[in-house]
Amino acid sequence: VASFTLFVSNTEAIKVPRVTFRTSFEINNSKYKGSDLRYQNLTVKVGSDVWNYVVPIIAGGTYYTFSSPTGATSIPVGGKIAFDIYGDVLTGSALTSYASPIQLVGAVGVGQTSGTNIALKKSDGSIVSDTSPLDGQTVTITAAPSGGGGTIPPAPPPPPPAPSIAGISGPTTLQVG
């Protein structure tokens, strides 16, 4: 349901021990009955590693923090990792598009050598937070040819990183400041 790529091109490798996402209010919310996105089993993967747990029941407008099963994921200078967020789409989801059902609202970056916390910022200079989230991709639910279930088209690839930027990319690029 979303994908965010963290890349590092500054002078120090970083470790990422945890990330926090927020779900849209349209998710599994009776207020939007008939037009909401219904899914379960929210999972974050980095490569083949599932980060700390699977959320079986997802609530709209809720924050979920995921941690690396190995303590922290290291990203070398010039390297990158993708945070892929999965969820099982349920029957009853409206066949429509949902703008950013998942938003990145926080991530911890720590300098691997210095141990200094590194703020993750969008390209406009604002720090990624609850009030300034990084939106995930738009998800479109369409009917399967057989008439049952639905499909989610693959998310577009993130934009390529700028030569001197370190941070997260998704629909918008973030910098480490």
Side-chain angles (χ1 to χ4, degrees), residues 85-149:
I85 298 97
Y86 297 89
D88 298 330
V89 176
L90 300 174
T91 301
S93 291
L95 303 180
T96 189
S97 292
Y98 300 91
S100 307
I102 301 289
Q103 296 174 315
L104 177 64
V105 294
V108 173
V110 179
Q112 198 159 347
T113 305
S114 67
T116 304
N117 285 341
I118 299 171
L120 300 174
K121 298 179 181 180
K122 294 185 204 179
S123 57
D124 68 4
S126 62
I127 294 174
V128 174
S129 67
D130 181 40
T131 57
S132 182
L134 180 66
D135 291 335
Q137 294 81 5
T138 295
V139 173
T140 301
I141 308 297
T142 59
S146 64

Side-chain angles (χ1 to χ4, degrees), residues 26-30 32-38 92-94 98:
E26 291 182 327
I27 295 172
N28 298 336
N29 190 333
S30 61
Y32 296 97
K33 205 164 195 95
S35 66
D36 61 330
L37 173 59
R38 297 179 181 279
S93 291
Y98 300 91

